[in-house]
Every structure is written in C-alpha cells, then in structure tokens.
Amino acid sequence: MFTSFTGNARRPRQVNLSGRNTKASPALSGVRQSPSAPNSSSPLAHAQAERIWRQQERLRPPAATTIQRSWRGHRGRKQVKDAWRREWDTSESIDLGEESVALPPLEETLSPYHSEESCLNQLRLLVHFASARNPQDIHRLCRFARRYLASFHVMAVIFTSDVWTYPLLRLAKLIMTVLKYQTHPPELPQCDSLLLRLLTSLASAIPYQLLTYSSNYFDALAEILVASRRKGVLEEDVRQALGTAVLALLQSDSTNIVVVYEGFVRNFLRVSDIPGLLNSLEVLAHGVAYEPLCTAVSNLLSASGPDNILECRSHNELLWLLSYFIYFRRSSRAQQKRSDETPDPSFVEVVSKLISYLADEIGSRIDASGTSTLASNTASATQQSSPDPLPNFVREEILTLISQENVSSLLTHVESRADSNDTAVDAFQIHTHRASSLAIYALTLLRAFPRRGDEIRMWLYLGSTSKVRRSKDHQSTTLPAIKYYFQAAAQTSIYSLIKSDPRRAVDLLSPDTSRRQPGNTAVPHLNEQWQVILLFLELYPIVLKVMDDEEFLTGASSLSQTQSWTRQSALSLESVKDLTVFLKNLAFSMYWNASEIAGIEAVESTSSIADYFRGNLGAVSESHKDTKSTKSADNTIAGVPGMTGGYLKSMVTGLLRMIYERDSRRKFLPSDHWLMTQWFEMDRFIPAVVQEEEEKHKIQESYGEDPDDDQTDDEERHENLVGTQRTQQVRNVERLKRQQRKASRRRYLESVTPRLEILQNMPFFIPFGTRVQIFRRFVSLDQLRRRGTADPEMWRFTMANSSHGDMGKHRARVHRESIFDDAYDQYYDLGEALKEPIQISFVDKFDTVEEGIDGGGVTKEFLTSITNEAFNPKSGLDMFIENDQHLLYPNPMALDERKEILRQADIPEGSIEWNKNVRDLLRRFEFLGRVIGKCLYEGILVDIHFAGFFLLKWALTGGSGSATKESGYRANLNDLRDLDEGLYQGLLQLKNHPGNVEDFSLNFEVTDTLFYREPQTYVQSLQRPITRELRPGGSHTLVTNENRLVYISYIARHRLQVQPYPQTSAFLKGLGTIVSPSWLSMFNQNELQTLVGGDSSEIDVMDLRRNTQYGGIYQIGDDGEEHPSVQMFWQAMQSFTDEDRRKVLKFVTSTPRAPLLGFSMLNPRFSIRDSGHDQTRLPTTSTCVNLLKLPVYNSGEILEDRLLYSINAGAGFNLS
C-alpha cells in the first residue's frame, strides 16, 4: 500500500536545516567530548569517541620524542658540516662568510695543491659536507675543481692509487647531481664548463667505478643540453667540454663497454636535436664505436619492462634515436673508408624494430610540408588534420635508408654453399632466420614509405642478389632476389601445409591459437616464415608488371649472366603452377573462413522499431561495437606493421588475378587448374549464391546509404574557412563513425556471403557457365525488386494504369540519321531508370514514324544501332578508337581534343561554357556506358569487340562499389600490346638493350600528338604535340640502365591509366549505374567480351534447328515431318557461309551471335511461320518475337535468292 498520494513507496529524503550533527559517529577532531553533549545520539558513539581520544593521548609523547630526535640529529649534522666547511675554508685560505665570493675568471690560473695528501684531505672533506642545493658549496666545488685539474696535470700518476677511488667516485656523483638539476647560482656561468672538465678527468681516472653509474653520467650531460634549449644558448666552451665528457666514458678501456653504451643510448640520445645544440654530431661521431652502439641499442630493444626503450620513450625521442643511429653507422663506415651501403645484419635488425614501431608516424610525416601558407587565423583549424613534418636531420637520415644502393644491396652478403654431393635443392638451402630478418626490414620500409613503395620494390627486384657457390668448380653466380625469396618461401612449413590443404590456413592465420583445430600441431618460427612469404608476395607483382609473356613462358631454370635480368628472374612454369595452388588455397580460406580467421563471430543484424528511436545512445553503442570489432579484425600478421588480414587478402587476390589474367591471355596451365569446385556443393551452389545476394541486399537496406561522397566534398569545401575548427572536429568524428560502420558492415557481409565474395574476387574458382546463370539470376532478382515483375509488358501495363506511373520519360522518337544524339538528349536524364523497359519510335529521313510494335525487338534494334554508331571509329564521334586488331577502347585524347577546339573558338578556359562542353563530353561517355549496361541487363548481344586492357578495367572495379574509379586496375607492359604494338615493341627493345640506354637520350617525359578538327570545316587536319612529365622533375631525369624498368612502368601507367582516366571513369560510372560492378567482377576480360557480344564461334545450324518453333502451315504435324519450305530454308542455311548465317540471325533477332549457352537460351525462341504464297514477296521479320515470316516458295533457289536480298537490304520494320 502506498504511503503517499504520489504513489511512490520510497521513503523521502530527510533534510536537516538546523545545522546540528545528527549522525551517530562524532567528529574525530581530537577534542574530548562530554557525555552530556547536546548532539550525543547514543552511548556507543560516546564510547568510540573516548577510545579514539585515549589512543591519541598515548601516541602524542612518542611522536614528540621522534620529532625532537630528528631535529637534534639534523642540527648536529648541520653543525658538524658547518665545522667541516670552516676547516675546509681555512685550509683553502678563503673566508666566505655570509657573503658569496665570486669565482675567479676562467683565464686566471689557481695554484695546484702542494701535495697529494693536502688534495686528498680537501677532497674527503668536500664530499662529506657538500650539498648540490647549497650555492656556497657549489662555489667550493668549483674552486676545488680548478685546483684539482691544475694538480692533476702535475701529479696525475699519484691520483690513480686506490685511496683516491672512493672519494673520487663520491665527487663524480656530486658533480652529476649538480649538472643534472642545474642548481649552481646564476653568477657562476663558468660552472658547467669547469665541472664538465672535472668529470672528464674523473672518467679517465676511475672508468671502472663510473661504469655502474653510466646512466646517471649521461643523464647529467643530457640535462645540460635540455637546459641550454630552455635558455636558448649554449656557450662554446660548454659545448666543447660536453663533447669531450661524452667521449671520455665511451672511449674508456673497459671489458663491459656495452653497459656504457646502453647508458649513452638510454639517457643521452633521448635528447632531440643534438646536432643543432652541438652545431654538429661530428665531434661525437669520431669517438662513437658502431659495434658496441649497435649491440646496446639491440639489447635495449629486446629488454623487457622499463628497460625496453620502446615502452618508455615517446615517438619523437625514438625518431631522433633512429636518426642518430643511422648517422653514427654512416660515419663509422666513412671512417673505415667503406663506400658500399650494404646493411649489416645487426643494423637491419635494429632499424627494423624501430621502423616497425614508428612506421605509421614516419609514413604520415615524412612527406609533410615544413611550412604553412595559411593565415594565422586558419592555422588552428587545420592543425588537427595536417601532421607535423619531421625535423630536417631526422628526415634526411631516414631517407638514406631508401636509397637505391642501400635497398638493392640487402642480399649482397647472403651466400649459399653447395657441395658436390648435394642435390639441387640443397644447393639453395636458405636459413629462415636470415631471410626473415631481411624480409621484415624490407616490409617495414614499404610500410613506413608508402609513397616510395613502387621504387623500393623495384630496387629490391633489381639489385638484391645472393651468391651461390659450389665447391666442385668454385664458380660463383648471382641469384635474383625474387628467386631467393621464392625458394625461401617454398621451403617454409606454411607454404607446404597450405598448398596441401587450404583448411590449414585457418590455424596459421588465426590470432587465437586456442581455436586451432584438433590434430593440427603448431608451426615453429611462425612469424619468421610468414615474413619471408609476405615479402615475396610484395615483390612478385613488380616482376609480372615488367615481364613480357615470352620471358614469363620461357623462364630459365638455369642462371646465365648473358640473359636479361627479367628473364633471370622468371620462375619456372612448374614453380608458378605450385605457387598458384598455394595462392588459391590461401585465398579460398581467407574468403570462405573470413570470420574464423579474423577471430570474430558474425552477429546477426537485427533491425526493429527500437533502432528508430535509439538516437545518439544507439550511435555511441554502435560506434563502440564497431571499434571493438575493428581492433579484433585488424590484428597484424607476423608482427609487420600495417600487414592486416585485409591487406594480405587484397595482396593475395591481386597477385592471383595477375597470374590468371596472363594465363587467360596465353594458356600455360591446364584448363581445369583454376577450378575449386571440389570445395563447394555445386548442385546447390546457384540457389545459395542467389540467397546470399538477397541477404546482402537486405543488410544494405537495413544499414542505409552513407553519403560519403557528398560529405567529403563538403569537408574539402569548408576546410580552410575561419571559425570552422569545431565543425571540422565534429565532421572528423562523424566520418570516423561512418568508416567504422562501413568496415563493420563489410566484415559482416564477408562472413555471411562467402560465396559472393569468392565470385567477385576469385571468379575462376567456378565454371564460366555457372557464373553466366548466376548473372542472369541476379538480373532477374533486380528486375523483381524494381518492377515487381520480370515481364516488360506487365510493367508497362501497370505503369499505364497507375496514378503514379509516368511512361513519358521512357518514350523517345529517334531519327535513324542521328540515333546517338537523339538517344542522349532524351534518355541521359533517366539515369538508373534506364533499367526499365523503354519504348522507341523510329523516324526516317522523311520524318515518318516506322511501323512496328515494340515487343522488345525495336528496343534491341535501337540499342544495337546506338552501339554501331557510337563505337564506329569512322562515324565522326571520335569517342572510341581501334587498335591494329580492330579492338575498341576510349579515345585517350578525346578530352584534350575537345579542349583544343574550345581554345580555337576563343572560349576562356574555366568559364561556364568551357566547363559545360567538357562535362558534355564526359556525360556522353557515361551514357555509352549505360547503353552497354542496358544491353547486358536485358541480355542483348551487340557486335562490338573491346580491347582486353579496357575490359580488364570492368572486371577490376567490383570492389569499389561504384565503378567511378579504375582503382583495381594496375597497368603493365603486356597490356600495351593491345594499345600500341609499335610502342610495346620499342619498350621491349629498351628493356632488353645490352648496351647503355643513356645513348637514347630519353627523359622521364612523354609526348602525345594531339589531332583536332578545324572549328569551321571539322576536317581533322591540325595536330600539335603535348609533352608531359611522367613524374616531378622528369624532364631533367635521364633514363639509365638502373631506372629503365621504372621508366617503362611509368610509360605503361600513363598510356593505359593516367591519360584515358576521365573518359574511362565516366564510361565505368555509366556502366555501373545499370549493372552492378560486383556482378561484372565475376568475369575476366575474355568472358566479358563473350557476355557483351556472344559466342564468337561459328553458328551451329543444327542447334538452331533443334530449338526453333514453327507456326501457321509450317507447324509440324503428327508425322513429325517438316514442311518442304522449312526443309529448303535449313538447306540454304547449311549452304551459307558463316557470315551469311550471322546476317540471317541478325535479320531475325537483331544480333549476329549465338547466345552464350546455346540457342535454347534465346528468349523468345527462334520462330518461323508462313506469310503467303506470293513468289515475289520477300521474307520479313518481327524481331520483337524473333519471328521469321517466310513465304511458301516453290524452289530452293527462289528462297535462297529472296532471303539473301532481304538480309542485305538494311531496311527496318517497314519490311513488315
């Protein structure tokens, strides 16, 4: 029962406004309270207060005694020390009193001690009473230093006796304290210099004793540099004395010198900008020994706990340490007069650890600008987004790591030896640890310098060689780096296990070892083996990019110095076959077991009405969930920074597709080598894939669309506005959340749609016919989602009878003389709605509408007519051009030609009219992409042949999701053959030229010839050369034997990727609007050509005859016999050439090619019916239903003559 009218049974809070203490426990103030106090609440509280008071009374006398004893001890010690100070002052004949006496100038010389005994007595007194916090004691210390140094020069031998050891050690510790805390008074500016000289003397007198205090020693010296940075000045005498003091202990004759260097590294090299403070590091470089320095750094990197400098030093301090280490090594090699830059193993190990830890910071700051051009009021707004540049010294030293000589010579000292009794495999035995140490070094360089990645890979490929010696003939040859690392990778247990069973990759890649399947034992040195394999996967794509097909297919198994380097680097075909098996199994496991390898479980996406009201709280929880899943899914592999599972998956996918594309171009593997159907249930594969596609669509709808592109544009537009710092921070947070949601959605899709992922990334695992069926099923699903029905006529009927239906925008009147222009003007604005059925009315040159009912046939003729006009190089549109094999690709100069015409017309560049014309050209390319997409979507075959490299871009844009970029395509030398045979042959000669290529006088620039038409006559009679640099400063960079492969790769990238980029991107954008890029990624370039144009083989008349339907009097009766006219038709078809057969097929179906899976897939079926007995009448067609209207002719000659006339007449529906 409720106790109040509010309905709340909870007891209300009691509020005391009187100020009286109503709590049971009294205040523990130490004052004894009376039992009769008015605030007493209970006898128990009084008893507790009395007990506390008595305890305090008992503790008060002992505490007072302790305080008195401490004070008396302190006063006694002070009196004793004061007596010692007076005794010391008396001995020194100095009476300082209460006023300080200035230290004599440095140039004034004090007399030395007259005897060893007097000096030792003064020293013992000084170290007993001197305090680093007492200015007068520091005065005394400086005076003693002056006299001691003067005495040391006179009787240095005497000072080395044992009686001096302990006092000198205490003196050194006192000096370290004064220097470290900088407690000397400001009126003694010479103190640092004097004490440093004294400390240097002590380092030579008692080096073994100072060994234990090396950390304190260098810490004190480092504080001088830190203090000088605060003061803004470091006197020259202090600078010289500091350098001498540093080297004094480093150069001591000690058996445990590494301990000294550890203190030097830990405490002194932590200071930033030592070169700037000391003016130069040369004063130290001549005395620092590289070997103990390297050992010390390695020890500190391998230590555990607080001794590990990676755990207790900031990134900035570690960056300076890395630069110092590189500098001291270079200086050491210069002193030894060693001109080679070959990294030694210890150097590789140290630098690898440091760069691995600093890879992200180096990569973001190495190319950052050192100056800012923004105004002061916008500097704070951009501070969050732009990283600070590296200091010049750090940047210069780090960049020496990626010099060509440094990188190329990594394998110079690696040597494999084979005895006469060894087998061929034993001749190339490679130590895993040595190979992995070089691999982790190269991999960290790639991660730390992402913008120089291609150059680093090229240098590794070009110069890194291994010596192979045989004791039998004592001959020495060089082993290319790619073969060295392939042999090292092939000998690992990981390679063998995955090649034999793809399921083993789950254990070898899973971050959680507890998830290992039963019976699978652990692999020793797992990280080292992975590092070797990862570097090979990084390098081999470079080889494939610069290696032509002939070199690849004739890969020499024996090494010969007379062969070109690319031919020497070619793997044998048997090795490539084994490699593809390893890559297939690895890729299959990474896609099929994505969630298991990542160590995360796919969580079912639940969508409810609560999600609508969750607001910010839901967003925060979702962000937290995404962040957690991101951390668990992005575990690095083999300890390599940036080498996540996603990166490895993309690397394996790219390499495997590169080999597959080469095999598609020039077969060298068995036809069924790429299939992995044994790992799927193929009888249920298509329904399972269709179900995954539906699930994917539901998931994407539940997440909604993220406006990434619009947000990015808005952020760039407002980046430098005043007062937008807070806005920028909010946008950055929102962008991060969107990226996390996108990553979470991607990982979830990978886990619930493994078959789709394999089809889009490894389509060659599944037979081509199966993929074509899946493609058609995907189209049908999309039609059902958009239209509600797959029947075009039913959709038209629904739209016509719907109040919201608008068929007007799907209708068009098209003149046969200007089909493309009319189609572009009337259908461009449809966008994605072009997927729906369209209704075309053809108009002839007399402006008369041609007769015919569009049951689909008019649409097919319309689309094929557009393609015939737009893709015809002689049509005058100049949007596509053809190569020597008559294969089409976008005109790479189309945009430059349009701009040149605008210049000739005096249209200002950048004006509204200029931009409108440029945009119009790109929109035409985009519309052409939509037309081809419409043909693929409707299953209409068109007689067009595209170049292989252009089709390859279709297949490699599936991962982008929008097909607006060619991000998946990587230009290579072999694709140039489809573009320009002459250029391809010329680059081959340059690559294999045995002499000096500098004789050709080539620079890193390219000249394009611009052909354009006169604005008035439109005659293509004008031309102008355009020279472009292939890279910054390319006009001044000469092509040499060392960089010619880089030049060839730049030429290929320019011709295939950079130059046609705007046109190709626009076309792919239009294509992706109609056909999902993920669907196109299921096919390679040859399969896409078949998908567009149909089967290029000869027309199978018997297959067509088996799948033909008959109507009218031609209908087959109960006897099963064909009508005589039908028999004469098939006899004529058998006698026709393949070209005439294709004309007949085009006459009836509007396409000259057979369907991909035979004429049984033609919809509607090929049909023949009678059309009277008039012998002069020509055969006619209804392409909308693939119907041939064939009159009943009296003879085969008449039928053949009338049929040939009709198929060559070129008229349209007016024949009907």
Side-chain angles (χ1 to χ4, degrees), residues 829-1036:
D829 292 334
L830 271 182
E832 191 179 9
L834 190 62
K835 288 183 177 182
E836 321 306 349
I838 55 177
Q839 193 165 348
I840 306 297
S841 297
F842 280 107
V843 180
D844 60 16
K845 60 182 179 181
F846 302 107
D847 204 27
T848 302
V849 178
E850 296 182 2
E851 300 177 359
I853 299 175
D854 191 357
V858 180
T859 299
K860 288 192 291 185
E861 183 176 0
F862 165 71
L863 294 175
T864 55
S865 299
I866 290 179
T867 57
N868 290 335
E869 178 183 347
F871 292 102
N872 185 359
K874 300 179 181 179
S875 64
L877 294 177
D878 293 334
M879 297 178 64
F880 276 72
I881 57 179
E882 59 183 11
N883 60 9
D884 297 337
Q885 292 79 35
H886 304 289
L887 302 176
L888 294 168
Y889 60 92
N891 181 5
M893 299 298 294
L895 193 60
D896 291 322
E897 291 171 359
R898 174 64 64 91
K899 292 180 179 179
E900 186 62 30
I901 293 175
L902 296 177
R903 293 190 188 97
Q904 296 296 327
D906 296 330
I907 297 177
E909 187 168 353
S911 62
I912 297 178
E913 186 176 359
W914 173 284
N915 295 334
K916 179 181 178 181
N917 277 272
V918 172
R919 191 182 304 112
D920 177 74
L921 176 63
L922 296 180
R923 285 181 174 178
R924 288 175 180 268
F925 275 101
E926 181 183 353
F927 181 70
L928 267 184
R930 294 180 191 171
V931 171
I932 295 298
K934 177 71 171 177
C935 294
L936 291 172
Y937 193 80
E938 300 293 346
I940 299 174
L941 304 180
V942 291
D943 190 19
I944 301 174
H945 301 274
F946 292 108
F949 73 88
F950 179 56
L951 288 168
L952 196 57
K953 297 176 181 180
W954 301 16
L956 294 179
T957 53
S960 64
S962 60
T964 56
K965 297 182 180 180
E966 312 170 35
S967 56
Y969 175 73
R970 288 183 281 188
N972 62 79
L973 177 61
N974 293 281
D975 286 345
L976 277 177
R977 196 167 200 167
D978 289 340
L979 179 71
D980 190 337
E981 179 70 24
L983 176 62
Y984 170 77
Q985 295 296 336
L987 292 177
L988 277 186
Q989 295 178 7
L990 175 66
K991 181 167 72 77
N992 300 320
H993 182 64
N996 189 356
V997 299
E998 296 183 26
D999 298 337
F1000 298 141
S1001 301
L1002 295 174
N1003 295 328
F1004 275 76
E1005 57 184 5
V1006 61
T1007 300
D1008 301 319
T1009 303
L1010 177 65
F1011 297 93
Y1012 58 97
R1013 304 172 186 272
E1014 294 180 353
Q1016 294 78 16
T1017 62
Y1018 288 94
V1019 177
Q1020 191 174 12
S1021 60
L1022 303 177
Q1023 64 181 31
R1024 182 171 64 87
I1026 300 178
T1027 301
R1028 298 182 174 95
E1029 289 186 338
L1030 296 175
R1031 67 181 186 184
S1035 59
H1036 304 291

Side-chain angles (χ1 to χ4, degrees), residues 580-716:
T580 55
V581 174
F582 167 77
L583 293 175
K584 281 197 313 175
N585 292 346
L586 178 58
F588 173 80
S589 290
M590 296 188 74
Y591 284 102
W592 189 255
N593 308 102
S595 60
E596 188 175 357
I597 291 176
I600 58 175
E601 298 294 341
V603 182
E604 186 72 22
S605 177
T606 57
S607 179
S608 63
I609 194 171
D611 296 336
Y612 184 81
F613 297 99
R614 65 185 180 181
N616 294 334
L617 182 59
V620 172
S621 61
E622 181 181 3
S623 175
H624 176 72
K625 177 185 66 177
D626 293 337
T627 304
K628 182 178 179 180
S629 60
T630 300
K631 293 180 179 179
S632 61
D634 292 339
N635 292 315
T636 59
I637 296 176
V640 180
M643 186 63 67
T644 60
Y647 184 85
L648 175 61
K649 184 187 295 185
S650 64
M651 189 164 55
V652 172
T653 303
L655 177 56
L656 196 56
R657 294 194 69 149
M658 289 179 73
I659 302 176
Y660 173 72
E661 291 156 12
R662 194 178 289 264
D663 182 57
S664 302
R665 187 169 55 244
R666 297 277 299 272
K667 294 294 295 183
F668 61 89
L669 292 172
S671 57
D672 59 345
H673 175 78
W674 296 99
L675 297 178
M676 295 196 72
T677 53
Q678 70 273 21
W679 299 101
F680 303 100
E681 297 180 9
M682 294 306 298
D683 55 337
R684 294 187 292 178
F685 185 79
I686 295 179
V689 170
V690 174
Q691 183 178 359
E692 289 183 3
E693 177 69 13
E694 293 178 340
E695 180 69 17
K696 175 183 176 181
H697 184 75
K698 292 178 182 178
I699 294 173
Q700 290 176 340
E701 285 186 340
S702 64
Y703 272 94
E705 298 295 333
D706 290 332
D708 291 337
D709 296 336
D710 297 338
Q711 291 289 340
T712 302
D713 294 339
D714 184 71
E715 289 164 4
E716 292 177 354

Side-chain angles (χ1 to χ4, degrees), residues 258-294:
V258 175
V259 176
V260 178
Y261 274 88
E262 288 179 1
F264 174 66
V265 172
R266 184 189 298 110
N267 299 96
F268 189 78
L269 293 186
R270 65 179 173 83
V271 181
S272 60
D273 196 20
I274 296 179
L277 297 173
L278 296 181
N279 288 339
S280 174
L281 273 183
E282 292 184 5
V283 64
L284 301 180
H286 292 291
V288 174
Y290 168 69
E291 287 75 12
L293 174 67
C294 186

